[in-house]
Amino acid sequence: IYTSVTRLGNKSFEISNVLVKEKNDSSGIVKEEIAAFATFTIVCYSYETKSTIQIPEEWRTAIDSFEKGESPS
């Protein structure tokens, strides 16, 4: 499964996921074939104010680290 944040807005972001299956071709080389693809839109919401909110800076930092392949701190 491959996961990536494909869009980062002010109050929402999208996460795309690709599920692949591995197949061996006739020469023994392993190839990946897409089995499923999904995109999720995450909207930041305050239940206190009952309205959307800006993506917290802490989340932006975590998303940036994830996309760079860095370990969470």
Side-chain angles (χ1 to χ4, degrees):
I1 298 175
Y2 296 100
T3 300
S4 180
V5 175
T6 52
R7 186 187 62 78
L8 187 60
N10 292 319
K11 296 182 178 185
S12 65
F13 59 97
E14 287 182 355
I15 299 173
S16 293
N17 296 284
V18 179
L19 175 65
V20 297
K21 59 183 176 180
E22 293 182 345
K23 293 183 112 181
N24 291 324
D25 68 9
S26 58
S27 63
I29 296 174
V30 177
K31 294 189 175 190
E32 292 181 337
E33 180 179 292
I34 295 176
F37 179 84
T39 300
F40 303 93
T41 301
I42 311 300
V43 177
C44 296
Y45 184 81
S46 168
Y47 286 94
E48 286 181 14
T49 64
K50 295 182 172 58
S51 63
T52 57
I53 59 171
Q54 297 284 325
I55 297 172
E57 194 57 41
E58 180 180 333
W59 290 21
R60 289 182 177 279
T61 301
I63 290 168
D64 186 51
S65 294
F66 173 80
E67 289 301 318
K68 290 179 180 175
E70 298 170 353
S71 298
S73 31

